[in-house]
């Protein structure tokens, strides 16, 4: 299995387990295949258990891709396989062990924007002069926060920085006074910033690795437990690790580690100041006996493209690994290619001509290549703001496109409409906000009605558009327009009442539901419309954003959120956009940075002129003093080396044909020089000109953009709730689990979450009191010392009630009376539970135990509320329910626990602890336990059922199956056009 389609060096890399290994993997040489097959081999041949493997990479996207690839090649499930980013891994460690170095284990993790806002709100605590311009006091905050982050990447402590600044001040007579003052100010600011984080129980991303290293260096017992746990460590994109990340790897691996690192210095586009080669050279020094394997057989591009890339990148010598280690990195094409020339340089007169030439060439190729689809084409831009001319050109030609921008969530129309409603509730006399409300697409309000409202409001000297909307009848607005105006006024009034007691997320859902926006988005006429579905994804992202704000700010209200959001916008944050794995069949417009890891049949690298690609060298903000830097810096010009590596990445995305585009006129006063990279490759301006310069017109309505078929993303693994949702109604599944339409909460859901959270905290505390670990740091089953001999310690009833108050969710109740009733009901349920259990306590083996198993060709995952050990040594799997108790269970009622039984029987992590002896639904409301155990025939029947259900989901049939009972309890009953 693991030797299939592997070349000799790939096979050697997969099989090597005799110590440290460095894999130098060129572009398109199958490095991800090697990593995933190596992990799968370790598990399959029982060289390591899944939980003994640690694989680290840089982005969530890369970690998810690696996870999916591993899942696809292993035949068994697992409890825990650590494939994650450096930061996620360190966050888990600090959440468990941060208290050992004085950190709270309930710290808030700040994004870059959060850090900016924290400094902005506490500028008075920073003794700034040099870095606080009078006209713009917050003008340097981004540079300060970025500088502090780089310091942590270099493991420079605030104390070390202060000592350095003091030494300069005292001992360096040649240092000028201004420089001494600047260093003193910046080191003091770094110290103040870190103290501010600690005072606010917060960490930034740099702290995660910084403090993890401090923890492991000062607490050897914790380090040893991690070393014992992780027998094999694999690091992807090793060329991009910084000094702190490398020190973390060294600590975890120790001296005799089974450590595998994979990297390519020529594709290093994120390394600090170009210090990409130093990581690998340092690795060779630290592990002199490490095996070295070079992957240079390319399975993506033809030889002409690869030779061009090789010619380019040699201009980075002598700072390349090839020159340093005397190895051969020349890529060899393993794909057949046509005799047609694969690389073309097209030079145009203007940027508009360049964009037009790209669009026309794409159309020409598409017509000539009958096998080509739009997704085979990519336009690679150096910066997001370079994309607009190409978007316009594609629209004029009627070519579908997907602009894969990294940011811009807060500028999306639907998000703007939601924020606009919030602003209206804060100040309903803001006429611009009222105008946007009138223009919302969901209303389809006649333009003549809008004109009457806006023009007559001015003529009649009304205070605001709001007054005009209230008096729409007097202004001669149509009957349909009056109805819309009345609805807007009512929504403003009702929303203002809700601001007194409801969270922003509740108010936002009210707006979307009452306006008809949700129903408008999912209407059948919009099904499959890529633009509409993108708006749904944007809405989900914004809901998630508000949810995170509310989690971080208990008691959040609308006014507080708007103040926070205004700060976010002031910081320059545009909001991260959802990045789909699959897109409609459309031309891809993407930045070169985002294109890393992707490949396309036809690639257009555009704007190849000086100051665009390569980009103009910009100041590095606030530089770290050279004496404090631990990285080995390159000999050549780091900026142009990095830009050249970026161009190398762009070139090697192309499979069959590569177009290098440039123009003379980009709107400035001077003609642009073509890129130095084109000169290095032997191209010159004017080789091929598209002819007479013409501006591409931007008239609206000339050409309708073709809509590619939207590709729905299915999850890589399925949960019981997802499968149950599909069985209930495939359309409900689509809305909930594919489009992720936000749902209105309910009292039942809030109460259920509150009770589950309480039980979780209670039994966690019981584990702590009885010194029974909740498994390992990463959630493996705990120790099996579970018998109740009368000596089990349990929290007091008062502590249980405290856990209830901590877990209480007060959202989505109809009114305060209902909320009070549920709250009191929960207290009584817990009293009864405590009294009935207090002479028969058990200590759980594990709580919230996660698993993933193979069912046929599919993956099923879940989370088990609790597992106890029975007196006879068997395992009792327990699931809490807050609904009405059922003493007699139907076949479908058993499915959830039967899946848990399948996992416990399949996975050695559970099977080795003990056999499954009992499955129990614990109905908390009635203090009722209903137990059973699945028979072999039941489990086989369920497996067949799951395979069929998931197969049906993959078939793409999401037709609604409404009936009165199902629709009554559906989360989408108020917005679904198929409801009964």
């Amino acid at each position: 299995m693991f030797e299939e389609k592997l070349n000799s060096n790939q096979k050697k890399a997969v099989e090597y387990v005799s110590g440290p290994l460095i894999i130098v993997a060129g572009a398109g040489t199958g490095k991800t295949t090697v990593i995933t097959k190596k992990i799968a081999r370790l598990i399959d041949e029982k060289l390591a258990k899944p939980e003994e493997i640690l694989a680290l990479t840089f982005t969530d996207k890369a970690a998810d891709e690696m996870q999916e690839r591993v899942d696809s090649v292993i035949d068994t499930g697992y409890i825990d396989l650590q494939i994650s980013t450096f930061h996620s891994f360190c966050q888990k460690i600090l959440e468990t062990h941060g208290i050992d170095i004085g950190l709270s284990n309930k710290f808030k993790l700040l994004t870059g924007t959060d850090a900016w806002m924290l400094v902005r709100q506490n500028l008075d605590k920073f003794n700034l002069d040099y870095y606080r311009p009078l006209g713009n006091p917050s003008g340097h905050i981004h540079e300060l926060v970025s500088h502090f982050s780089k310091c942590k990447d270099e493991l420079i402590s605030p104390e070390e920085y202060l000592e350095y600044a003091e030494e300069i001040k005292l001992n360096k007579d040649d240092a000028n006074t201004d420089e001494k003052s600047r260093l003193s100010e910046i080191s003091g600011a770094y110290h103040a910033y870190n103290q501010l984080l600690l005072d606010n129980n917060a960490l930034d991303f740099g702290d995660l690795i910084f403090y993890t290293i401090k923890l492991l260096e000062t607490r050897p017992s914790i380090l040893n437990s991690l070393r014992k746990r992780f027998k094999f460590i694999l690091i992807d994109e090793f060329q991009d690790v910084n000094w702190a990340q490398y020190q973390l790897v060294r600590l975890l691996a120790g001296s005799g580690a089974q450590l595998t690192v994979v990297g390519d210095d020529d594709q290093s586009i994120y390394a600090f100041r170009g210090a990409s080669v130093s990581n690998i050279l340092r690795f060779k020094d630290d592990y002199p006996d490490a095996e070295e394997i070079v992957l240079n057989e390319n399975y993506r591009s033809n030889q002409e493209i690869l030779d061009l890339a090789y010619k380019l990148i040699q201009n980075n010598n002598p700072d390349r690994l090839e020159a340093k280690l005397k190895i051969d990195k020349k890529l060899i094409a393993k794909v057949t290619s046509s005799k047609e020339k694969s690389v073309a340089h097209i030079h145009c007169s203007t940027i508009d001509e360049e964009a037009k030439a790209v669009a026309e060439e794409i159309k020409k190729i598409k017509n000539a290549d009958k096998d080509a689809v739009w997704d085979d084409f990519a336009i690679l831009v150096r910066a997001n703001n370079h994309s607009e001319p190409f978007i316009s050109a594609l629209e004029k030609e009627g070519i579908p496109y997907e602009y894969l921008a990294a940011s811009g969530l807060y500028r999306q129309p639907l998000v703007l409409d939601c924020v606009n409603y919030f602003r209206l509730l804060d100040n309903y006399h803001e006429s611009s906000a009222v105008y946007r409300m009138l223009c919302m697409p969901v209303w389809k309000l006649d333009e003549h009605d809008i004109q009457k409202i806006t023009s007559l409001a001015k003529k009649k000297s009304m205070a605001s558009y709001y007054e005009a909307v209230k008096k729409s009848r007097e202004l001669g607005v149509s009957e349909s327009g009056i109805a819309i105006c009345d609805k807007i006024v009512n929504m403003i009034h009702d929303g203002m009442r809700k601001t007194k007691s409801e969270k922003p997320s509740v108010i936002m859902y009210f707006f979307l539901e009452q306006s008809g926006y949700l129903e408008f988005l999912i209407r059948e006429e919009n099904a499959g419309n890529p633009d509409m579905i993108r708006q749904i994804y944007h809405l989900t992202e914004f809901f998630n954003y508000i949810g995170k704000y509310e989690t971080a700010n208990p008691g959040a209200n609308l006014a507080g959120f708007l103040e926070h959001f205004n700060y976010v916008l002031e910081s320059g944050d545009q909001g991260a956009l959802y990045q789909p794995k699959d897109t409609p069949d459309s031309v891809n417009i993407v930045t070169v940075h985002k294109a890393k890891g992707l490949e396309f049949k036809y690639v257009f690298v555009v704007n190849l002129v000086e100051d665009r690609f390569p980009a103009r060298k910009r100041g590095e903000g606030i530089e770290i003093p050279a004496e404090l830097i631990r990285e080995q810096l390159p000999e050549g010009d780091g900026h142009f080396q990095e830009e050249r590596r970026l161009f190398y990445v762009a070139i090697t995305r192309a499979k069959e044909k590569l177009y290098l585009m440039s123009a003379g006129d980009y709107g400035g006063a001077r003609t642009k020089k073509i890129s130095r990279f084109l000169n290095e490759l032997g191209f010159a301006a004017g080789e091929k000109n598209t002819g007479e310069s013409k501006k591409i017109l931007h008239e609206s309505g000339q050409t309708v953009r073709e809509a590619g078929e939207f590709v729905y993303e299915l999850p890589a693994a399925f949960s019981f709730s997802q499968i149950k949702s599909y069985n209930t109604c495939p359309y409900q599944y689509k809305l909930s689990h594919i489009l992720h339409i936000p749902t209105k909460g309910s009292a039942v859901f809030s109460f259920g979450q509150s009770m589950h959270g309480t039980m979780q905290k209670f039994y966690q505390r019981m584990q702590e009191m009885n010194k029974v670990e909740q498994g390992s740091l990463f959630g493996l089953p705990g120790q099996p010392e579970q018998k109740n001999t009368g000596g089990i310690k349990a929290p007091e009833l008062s502590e249980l009630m405290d856990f209830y108050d901590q877990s209480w969710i007060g959202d989505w109740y109809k009114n305060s009376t209902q909320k009070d009733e549920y709250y009191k009901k929960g207290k009584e349920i817990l009293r009864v539970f405590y009294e009935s259990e207090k002479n028969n306590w058990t200590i759980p083996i594990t709580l919230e135990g996660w698993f993933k198993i193979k069912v046929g060709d599919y993956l099923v995952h879940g989370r088990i509320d609790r597992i106890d050990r029975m007196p006879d040594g068997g395992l009792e799997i327990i699931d809490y329910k807050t609904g009405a108790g059922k003493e007699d269970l139907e076949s479908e009622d058993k499915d959830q626990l039967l899946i848990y039984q399948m996992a416990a029987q399949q996975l050695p992590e559970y099977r080795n602890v003990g056999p499954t002896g009992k499955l129990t639904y614990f109905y908390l409301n009635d203090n009722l336990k209903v137990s059973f155990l699945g028979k072999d025939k039941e489990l086989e029947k369920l497996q067949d059922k799951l395979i069929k259900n998931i197969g049906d989901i993959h078939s793409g049939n999401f037709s609604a199956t409404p009936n009165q009972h199902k629709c009554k309890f559906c989360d989408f009953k108020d917005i679904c056009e198929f409801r009964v």
Side-chain angles (χ1 to χ4, degrees), residues 498-512:
K498 287 185 179 296
T499 61
K500 297 175 183 177
S501 58
E502 302 287 5
K503 292 181 178 179
S505 59
V506 177
I507 296 169
M508 182 168 158
Y509 193 91
F510 167 80
F511 160 68
L512 293 166

Side-chain angles (χ1 to χ4, degrees), residues 848-866:
E848 295 289 309
W850 184 88
F851 65 85
K852 184 184 286 185
I853 57 174
K854 276 277 180 79
V855 179
D857 293 329
Y858 304 113
L859 289 166
V860 173
H861 65 86
R863 197 173 291 277
I864 303 171
D865 286 344
R866 181 174 129 213

Side-chain angles (χ1 to χ4, degrees), residues 587-611:
V587 174
N588 302 276
I589 304 176
V590 60
T591 65
V592 182
H593 279 97
K594 295 292 289 185
K596 192 167 186 282
L598 304 178
E599 58 182 39
F600 305 93
K601 198 171 180 180
Y602 304 101
V603 168
F604 294 78
V605 187
V606 301
N607 292 183
L608 286 172
V609 294
E610 291 292 290
D611 295 338

Side-chain angles (χ1 to χ4, degrees), residues 306-366:
L306 296 180
D307 288 346
L308 186 83
Y310 187 66
K311 181 179 179 181
L312 169 87
I313 204 63
Q314 286 188 92
N315 288 281
N316 274 3
N317 287 336
D319 290 316
R320 292 178 59 244
L321 203 58
E322 186 174 42
K324 297 282 187 184
L325 296 183
K326 311 300 181 190
I327 58 177
D328 182 8
K329 290 191 62 190
K330 191 176 192 311
L331 296 176
I332 303 166
K334 304 301 288 185
V335 295
T336 57
S337 60
S338 64
K339 295 181 180 179
E340 185 183 350
K341 190 170 173 60
S342 301
V343 181
H345 170 221
I346 300 178
H347 184 76
C348 306
S349 302
T350 67
I351 174 56
D352 287 318
E353 276 297 318
E354 180 185 342
K356 180 181 178 183
V358 169
E360 289 178 345
E361 188 69 15
I362 288 173
K363 209 163 190 177
K364 177 182 172 184
I365 297 170
K366 180 73 163 52

Side-chain angles (χ1 to χ4, degrees), residues 382-383 385-386 606-618 639-640 643 666 670-677:
R382 174 63 183 83
N385 59 5
H386 295 170
V606 301
N607 292 183
L608 286 172
V609 294
E610 291 292 290
D611 295 338
R612 284 199 164 217
F613 204 170
R616 181 183 292 112
K617 185 174 182 178
R618 302 181 187 279
H639 168 72
F640 289 115
E643 289 290 304
Y666 286 84
R670 296 181 180 177
T671 300
K672 286 286 187 183
K673 294 180 181 178
I674 67 166
S675 170
R676 68 188 63 201
F677 303 148

Side-chain angles (χ1 to χ4, degrees), residues 108 503-504 546-557 560 805-806 808 811:
K108 293 178 287 188
K503 292 181 178 179
I546 294 177
K548 289 176 184 176
Y549 169 80
E550 292 174 349
T551 300
N553 298 273
N557 57 37
D805 287 334
Q806 293 168 24
W808 176 251
D811 302 330

Side-chain angles (χ1 to χ4, degrees), residues 142-423:
H142 277 301
E143 287 86 350
L144 289 168
V145 171
S146 176
H147 180 71
F148 302 154
S149 178
K150 288 177 183 176
C151 288
K152 291 173 185 180
D153 289 345
E154 288 290 301
L155 295 181
I156 302 167
S157 69
E159 294 74 22
E160 185 180 0
Y161 209 152
L162 285 169
E163 288 175 10
Y164 171 78
E166 186 64 20
E167 182 184 336
I168 292 292
K169 184 177 179 180
L170 294 176
N171 300 328
K172 297 281 182 90
D173 293 333
D174 57 336
N176 64 56
T177 303
D178 284 347
E179 178 60 10
K180 289 180 180 180
S181 298
R182 188 191 71 81
L183 279 173
S184 180
E185 180 174 314
I186 196 67
S187 60
Y190 183 36
H191 184 273
Y193 172 71
N194 279 280
Q195 189 59 50
L196 186 62
L197 289 172
L198 294 174
D199 291 345
N200 284 272
N201 191 24
L203 300 181
D204 62 21
F205 278 99
D207 284 327
L208 293 176
I209 299 175
F210 184 90
Y211 283 119
T212 298
I213 290 172
K214 181 177 180 181
L215 170 75
L216 300 183
E217 287 178 338
T218 56
R219 299 292 183 264
S221 61
I222 296 172
L223 174 59
N224 289 334
S225 69
L226 289 173
R227 284 179 175 174
K228 186 177 178 182
R229 160 78 191 272
F230 295 117
K231 294 181 179 177
F232 288 87
I233 300 175
L234 301 96
I235 311 298
D236 192 18
E237 305 289 5
F238 186 65
Q239 75 279 353
D240 288 331
V241 300
N242 58 42
W243 175 264
Q245 289 162 340
Y246 183 64
Q247 296 312 304
L248 174 69
V249 171
R250 285 187 63 219
L251 279 168
L252 291 169
S255 56
Q258 291 285 357
L259 172 62
T260 298
V261 300
V262 187
D264 179 15
D265 59 304
D266 292 334
Q267 296 185 80
S268 175
I269 56 177
Y270 298 107
F272 170 61
R273 293 179 66 176
S276 54
V277 179
S278 64
N279 299 321
I280 299 176
L281 294 177
R282 193 185 306 118
F283 181 88
K284 295 283 288 182
D285 290 337
D286 292 335
Y287 302 96
D289 297 327
E291 184 72 10
E292 181 184 294
I293 297 174
V294 179
L295 303 182
N296 60 359
E297 294 186 19
N298 178 285
Y299 296 90
R300 176 188 300 154
S301 309
N302 63 47
Q303 195 63 52
E304 184 183 350
I305 292 172
L306 296 180
D307 288 346
L308 186 83
Y310 187 66
K311 181 179 179 181
L312 169 87
I313 204 63
Q314 286 188 92
N315 288 281
N316 274 3
N317 287 336
D319 290 316
R320 292 178 59 244
L321 203 58
E322 186 174 42
K324 297 282 187 184
L325 296 183
K326 311 300 181 190
I327 58 177
D328 182 8
K329 290 191 62 190
K330 191 176 192 311
L331 296 176
I332 303 166
K334 304 301 288 185
V335 295
T336 57
S337 60
S338 64
K339 295 181 180 179
E340 185 183 350
K341 190 170 173 60
S342 301
V343 181
H345 170 221
I346 300 178
H347 184 76
C348 306
S349 302
T350 67
I351 174 56
D352 287 318
E353 276 297 318
E354 180 185 342
K356 180 181 178 183
V358 169
E360 289 178 345
E361 188 69 15
I362 288 173
K363 209 163 190 177
K364 177 182 172 184
I365 297 170
K366 180 73 163 52
N367 291 332
D369 183 353
K370 299 305 178 185
D371 295 327
V373 295
W374 294 120
D375 252 333
D376 287 328
F377 299 87
I379 300 171
L380 303 187
V381 295
R382 174 63 183 83
N384 277 313
N385 59 5
H386 295 170
S387 60
E388 183 55 40
F390 300 94
I391 289 173
S392 297
L394 294 177
E395 285 182 342
K396 180 173 176 59
E397 292 293 335
I399 298 173
Y401 65 88
E402 187 80 18
Y403 174 38
L404 299 176
S407 63
L409 176 66
Y410 307 144
R411 297 187 311 222
Q412 299 305 312
L414 183 48
V415 173
L416 287 171
D417 285 338
C418 292
V419 174
N420 185 69
Y421 179 67
F422 286 172
R423 296 198 191 284

